[in-house]
Amino acid sequence: MWTLLWLFIFQRESNNGVYFAGMFRIANFEFIPEYRHTDSTEFLSMATKIANVVNDVYRKSPVSKLYQQSVISDISTNNKGGLLVHFWMVFVVTSMNSHSLCEECVGAILRDSVHTSLLNRSSVGFLLSLPVDIDSIVVNAALRSEYTGTDAKCVDDLYAGRPGTRLPLHVSVPQGGLLCHVKLSTTPGYLARLTIASFAIEPTACVSSSLTVYDSLIPLRTKVLYKVCDPVNSASNFSLVSTGNVMFLSFSLGQGSKMFIGYFEAITEKSCSSALITLGQSASEGVITSPHHPSFFPPQCDCTWEFQTPDGSLGVALTFHNYMLTEKGLRGCEHGWWRINEVIYCGDYVDHHTVFRVAHPRTEIEFRCSSKFSDPPLSAEYRSYNISEPCADGHFLCSTGLCVSAERRCDGVDDCLDESDEVYCSKPPCDGFAQQHPDYACNGVRDCEDGSDEANCTQEVPCTPISYRCRNGKCIRKRNAECDGVPDCADKSDESHCACGRPAPVRARVVGGSEAQEGEWPWQVSMHFAGTFYCGASVIAADWLLSAAHCFSRDRLSDPQQWKAHLGMRSQGTAKFVVGIRRIVVHEFYSARNFDYDIALLQLSSPWPLALSSHIQPICLPPSSQAVPAGHNCWVTGWGSKAEEDKDLPQILQKAEVQVISQTVCKGRYSPVSPRMLCAGVMTGERDACRGDSGGPLSCREPSGGHWFLTGIVSWGAGCGRPNLPGVYTRVSKFAAWIREHIP
Ligand code: 4AZ
């Protein structure tokens, strides 16, 4: 009956219907199992009662003329007790009065109608006759197509009862072009866990196919637990856990065969906190983990742990696998909020482990989930450590908290994983050491007078991150062997993929720059968001661009459909090729707090035509071994501001020559500078990148072969063109493997 009623309502309100989805909790009402069945008399009677209250509220509100109907779609419960009411609201507007229906306004009507008693300090008040928790009210604008039972071609409703049974969930469509809605629920008091074992879709950044998992029974935008846009297989499978006993899955399956395999189960809610942990003196004493480990953890949680060491000389050390804590600044924490003995830290995912030490015998740690969506599982091993000597004898304490052998300090290898063992190092003498030292040997610069540091560079060596890997898997010492015009590898593979970084010959030949010539930087791209110039990017393949993650990471900016790439352009508005974006791949560890991992791949909707190759060319990608010695001259290009205070942007592409600055100097100017960043500029500040240049290239020419390499991506800096504050770029060589993983 309800389905019929819905169809009737929605068909009548076809074009000018405005829809909202919402949720609130009614306190003090007992949930009964019959409410799970929307055709039961118990559900119908309760739903009618609630709908009447909501109708009364809106029919007496300023938007009463537009208000049509509320439909209660589900009644569930959560660990706070009472009833969780899920509802839809329908308004009918004309173009004249549609502006009065903003999301906040519609939600505010409900919130303002709950009369809370000033005496009672709880958040429960009265919505007419119903005791409603004012903090639980959520109202989101919705699309008509989001309605359950309207456009969804396949719907399912699974009930897992109690822990111990896994319900298989298979969605298989031979042709695609389908919307599927699945409601999952468990007995009140348990949580819902969905395991995604495999999901066979094309990766299209959720444009054609996706699975959105909600922490509610209807698709509420602010209750999204996770969005799956990429295929999942046995190597990448994962589980998500709800905060209550329900989940809602919305599958959007584009054209072509699609398949989802997973299962759903009820799990017991376990506290992530623990009683006081008393530490001894052994190496590893245990682990603390995020809630529901090894499942992903939801956007809301709160865990506390307390540690006590045997005496005042011992503190607590936490070893994280791919996570790092840094003191919180002005920005919020995107991947975990931590309070450790009254100091607040934010956590970020990184690609290496770190050790966090608390120099106190008693430590209280509070961890709050603070991400927008569910985050990957976290764990930290804990043990006690000697406060006066955190590292064993003969070891060096890195800023990452790791301890490395003192001999490794200044050996040219980033043993600390944040380069803290490789700064403030003096140049080794040329009597043997420099010949082997990675900062000097075979980096293309003659550092020793006799040239011994650049001798025997095609010698085969065991593979390391700083040796050049030939396609036959053998490694050689010459770091910049790629496309330097000399076949160095036995299989000559270092010269076999060099159709890049070659601008058409130009006749001649940012802050403090000059105008570029036509065709001089054929890899330069102008990225336009919703029709307006926003960032730069570089052509790296027929249908791929590389840019900065920060240009694409916020809500609307992550929607590929809002973007256009302008290729083969010197003067704004005269692009030889304008194309849409099919997919944006932002690095999974990008941090908006410190701009680490500031890199994004953009796939074009269609490749640029080869006929335009005199205007459009890819730039060469540096191999992971690429050495960029300090002092090397490179060029930054873009349509960004010509001065920090400029409001207008230049029409013509600007170019400026800047010097690569040593990591030691760079770290002396800014904090923190990660190994994935590189500074370039001139210390007088005359030439620099600025607002709008972001995402664009720092192009460096390989001196012997003449090919241009994408050594950096414009990322950040303090202002523009300020003396002693160079521009900071993403160090592209660190992402060679990541790029290869994503581009076929
Ligand atoms: C920006 O806002 C920006 N001086 C880019 C580069 C620099 C500063 C700001 C470096 O896009």
Side-chain angles (χ1 to χ4, degrees), residues 688-692 694 714 716-717 719-720 727:
D688 193 8
C690 199
R691 195 168 29 83
S694 276
V714 179
W716 61 280
C720 311

Side-chain angles (χ1 to χ4, degrees), residues 71-131:
V71 177
I72 310 303
S73 72
D74 294 274
I75 298 174
S76 66
T77 184
N78 67 8
N79 55 9
K80 287 189 172 161
L83 307 181
L84 260 189
V85 179
H86 296 70
F87 60 91
W88 298 102
M89 263 191 272
V90 186
F91 292 82
V92 177
V93 298
T94 63
S95 55
M96 300 287 286
N97 57 21
S98 60
H99 58 273
S100 49
L101 272 187
C102 70
E103 187 178 85
E104 291 81 49
C105 325
V106 174
I109 291 171
L110 206 51
R111 236 168 263 122
D112 292 349
S113 312
V114 177
H115 291 286
T116 46
S117 146
L118 286 175
L119 293 175
N120 183 350
R121 285 164 90 228
S122 88
S123 54
V124 177
F126 275 87
L127 184 68
L128 303 180
S129 58
L130 297 175

Side-chain angles (χ1 to χ4, degrees), residues 440-519:
Y440 306 96
C442 300
N443 66 348
V445 178
R446 202 180 158 111
D447 298 288
C448 296
E449 253 175 43
D450 60 359
S452 56
D453 59 309
E454 295 300 311
N456 301 329
C457 289
T458 53
Q459 192 189 334
E460 227 176 77
V461 285
C463 296
T464 64
I466 49 149
S467 59
Y468 178 80
R469 185 188 274 270
C470 306
R471 244 158 255 259
N472 61 9
K474 301 262 182 338
C475 289
I476 57 169
R477 295 177 69 215
K478 189 175 188 180
R479 299 185 55 176
N480 297 350
E482 188 133 311
C483 305
D484 66 347
V486 186
D488 300 294
C489 292
D491 63 357
K492 300 191 170 63
S493 56
D494 54 312
E495 297 300 317
S496 63
H497 288 76
C498 299
C500 57
R502 286 278 198 185
V506 285
R507 254 176 291 122
R509 162 105 296 17
V510 177
V511 173
S514 54
E515 291 185 353
Q517 304 284 313
E518 192 74 53

Side-chain angles (χ1 to χ4, degrees), residues 336-496:
W337 178 101
W338 296 74
R339 184 176 52 76
I340 302 180
N341 288 349
E342 304 312 322
V343 184
I344 313 289
Y345 300 85
C346 291
D348 288 292
Y349 290 87
V350 290
D351 58 2
H352 57 79
H353 56 284
T354 62
V355 183
F356 188 88
R357 290 188 181 77
V358 196
H360 213 273
R362 181 145 189 140
T363 295
E364 191 186 302
I365 299 180
E366 181 183 1
F367 164 65
R368 283 193 211 154
C369 304
S370 68
S371 53
K372 203 166 150 211
F373 305 126
S374 298
D375 253 342
L378 270 181
S379 68
E381 284 168 27
Y382 56 79
R383 62 183 168 83
S384 62
Y385 80 98
N386 190 342
I387 295 173
S388 59
E389 200 185 353
C391 294
D393 230 11
H395 282 71
F396 169 80
L397 176 61
C398 307
S399 311
T400 41
L402 305 180
C403 296
V404 303
S405 165
E407 291 147 32
R408 301 201 159 185
R409 171 114 173 81
C410 296
D411 67 351
V413 180
D414 177 17
D415 303 291
C416 281
L417 309 175
D418 67 348
E419 299 171 329
S420 51
D421 56 326
E422 297 301 323
V423 286
Y424 308 109
C425 298
S426 49
K427 185 180 163 184
C430 275
D431 56 3
F433 188 52
Q435 282 91 315
Q436 299 304 324
H437 194 290
D439 283 357
Y440 306 96
C442 300
N443 66 348
V445 178
R446 202 180 158 111
D447 298 288
C448 296
E449 253 175 43
D450 60 359
S452 56
D453 59 309
E454 295 300 311
N456 301 329
C457 289
T458 53
Q459 192 189 334
E460 227 176 77
V461 285
C463 296
T464 64
I466 49 149
S467 59
Y468 178 80
R469 185 188 274 270
C470 306
R471 244 158 255 259
N472 61 9
K474 301 262 182 338
C475 289
I476 57 169
R477 295 177 69 215
K478 189 175 188 180
R479 299 185 55 176
N480 297 350
E482 188 133 311
C483 305
D484 66 347
V486 186
D488 300 294
C489 292
D491 63 357
K492 300 191 170 63
S493 56
D494 54 312
E495 297 300 317
S496 63

Side-chain angles (χ1 to χ4, degrees), residues 654-701:
Q654 302 289 305
K655 60 174 179 184
E657 193 171 24
V658 287
Q659 277 187 343
V660 172
I661 287 161
S662 88
Q663 209 71 344
T664 299
V665 173
C666 184
K667 286 180 187 238
R669 300 281 177 261
Y670 293 117
S671 165
V673 169
S674 82
R676 291 148 302 268
M677 299 173 190
L678 164 156
C679 277
V682 284
M683 280 308 177
T684 56
E686 279 161 273
R687 298 188 297 277
D688 193 8
C690 199
R691 195 168 29 83
D693 292 322
S694 276
L698 175 74
S699 311
C700 303
R701 196 167 184 203

